[in-house]
Amino acid sequence: MNSTFEKETQVVILTGAGISAESGIRTFRASDGLWEDHRIEDVATPMAWERDPELVWGFYQGRRRQLLDVVPNPAHDALVELERFLGDGLLLVTQNVDDLHSRSGSQNLIHMHGELRKLRCEECGEILVAMDDVHLEDKYVDCSKCGVERMRPHIVWFHEMPLKMREIEMAVADCDVFIAIGTSGHVYPAAGFLGLAQACGAHCIGINLDPPQNVDLFDEFHQGKAGELLPDLVNSWVGSE
Ligand code: OAD
Ligand code: ZN
């Protein structure tokens, strides 16, 4: 039943919170609209940052520290194997702001909802990688380029536009195979990539613990945990035992 990929197969993968669940990071939908015990509108909107920067900053510092306690799981590693086989023919698009895909070794990777490890200056656009060091203890970080105080988390908040949308949509429209892993299909525009891929003729594969909202659009759906299913699926796709 499973497909086999050629080296030339163009593949786009969309991952969501479910792929990091087995590493110990809670998904959004599992938290009843809360994110690590906070209401999303209190910590993940531009208005929240304006109204209460201390709360928002503290929240993201907590999320950054959590990254130090988690490691990639077999699902992240399986995608690295797939990239080894497909090379530039694989584009990995993640909605996750954790760094587990890159720590596992994925290279051709777009973080469409931003990255916990990065800060951005709203004035000059400077982006700073800020989590391995003293910045984890800092109360705010000033921009070293233009001097503006208080760089913001480089996170796409509600009411903001995801990053690199044009590049992603072009790749989705062009791909032969589209694979969605660990995402509930609730949050647009990411949830719309499946429909676009399907409309453009891609073979669409879903891997998720529960059937996601848009499950009917998949040509193949594999229900279960990504860390348990993906290693074998990748082996079957690349034709090894
Ligand atoms: P959700 O929390 O909405 O969905 C996670 C999905 O993963 C659910 O459908 C679960 O059934 C599934 N799941 C849980 N554990 C799994 C496992 N071990 N293996 C496979 N699947 C598993 O997360 P996302 O779809 O990523 O946006 O949410 C999308 C966006 O909504 C997030 O990026 C975030 C949030 O609001 C922003 O922060 C902008
Ligand atoms: Zn600046």
Side-chain angles (χ1 to χ4, degrees):
M1 276 297 205
N2 292 333
S3 342
T4 306
F5 300 171
E6 308 293 329
K7 290 224 176 263
E8 307 71 42
T9 307
Q10 299 284 318
V11 177
V12 175
I13 298 180
L14 173 69
T15 63
I19 199 167
S20 294
E22 287 156 85
S23 294
I25 301 180
R26 266 197 277 169
T27 63
F28 298 91
R29 260 17 75 175
S31 328
D32 295 327
L34 297 180
W35 190 6
E36 298 287 349
D37 304 323
H38 286 76
R39 291 191 318 158
I40 284 175
E41 56 271 34
D42 289 341
V43 289
T45 66
M47 291 72 88
W49 177 238
E50 198 146 303
R51 195 173 53 230
D52 194 346
E54 198 167 334
L55 176 75
V56 175
W57 180 257
F59 172 76
Y60 283 102
Q61 287 290 64
R63 305 279 67 70
R64 290 184 194 112
R65 282 192 210 100
Q66 185 188 33
L67 291 190
L68 303 177
D69 298 329
V70 297
V71 291
N73 67 58
H76 298 102
D77 295 342
L79 296 186
V80 179
E81 282 304 311
L82 187 58
E83 186 172 17
R84 237 169 244 148
F85 178 78
L86 293 168
D88 290 344
L90 175 77
L91 173 65
L92 176 55
V93 179
T94 188
Q95 297 166 87
N96 299 342
V97 294
D98 66 54
D99 59 353
L100 295 179
H101 281 307
S102 45
R103 268 160 62 192
S104 177
S106 286
Q107 309 237 338
N108 203 8
L109 170 66
I110 294 178
H111 277 274
M112 65 177 291
H113 288 166
E115 294 172 67
L116 276 173
R117 293 177 48 120
K118 293 184 177 172
L119 301 178
R120 182 171 83 238
C121 173
E122 288 182 287
E123 193 60 36
C124 74
E126 174 78 353
I127 289 178
L128 173 76
V129 177
M131 78 152 277
D132 293 330
D133 48 25
V134 289
H135 292 310
L136 264 184
E137 303 306 324
D138 280 353
K139 178 160 187 191
Y140 308 132
V141 175
D142 299 344
C143 178
S144 58
K145 195 165 169 199
C146 75
V148 156
E149 291 176 357
R150 209 190 280 167
M151 294 178 93
R152 61 167 273 176
H154 186 47
I155 298 283
V156 175
W157 284 323
F158 287 89
H159 312 296
E160 295 183 326
M161 200 49 185
L163 308 172
K164 303 207 174 165
M165 280 300 290
R166 207 180 130 67
E167 193 181 322
I168 298 169
E169 281 173 350
M170 281 170 52
V172 170
D174 265 358
C175 70
D176 304 305
V177 178
F178 176 82
I179 308 171
I181 306 166
T183 179
S184 58
H186 276 86
V187 179
Y188 284 82
F193 297 158
L194 172 59
L196 176 63
Q198 184 62 256
C200 293
H203 181 74
C204 296
I205 304 175
I207 298 148
N208 222 63
L209 191 54
D210 314 298
Q213 170 146 294
N214 44 15
V215 65
D216 292 345
L217 291 174
F218 289 112
D219 299 297
E220 261 179 61
F221 179 66
H222 304 267
Q223 184 164 1
K225 291 188 174 179
E228 292 172 5
L229 294 179
L230 253 188
D232 286 346
L233 281 169
V234 166
N235 280 339
S236 71
W237 294 334
V238 305
S240 54
E241 294 128 21

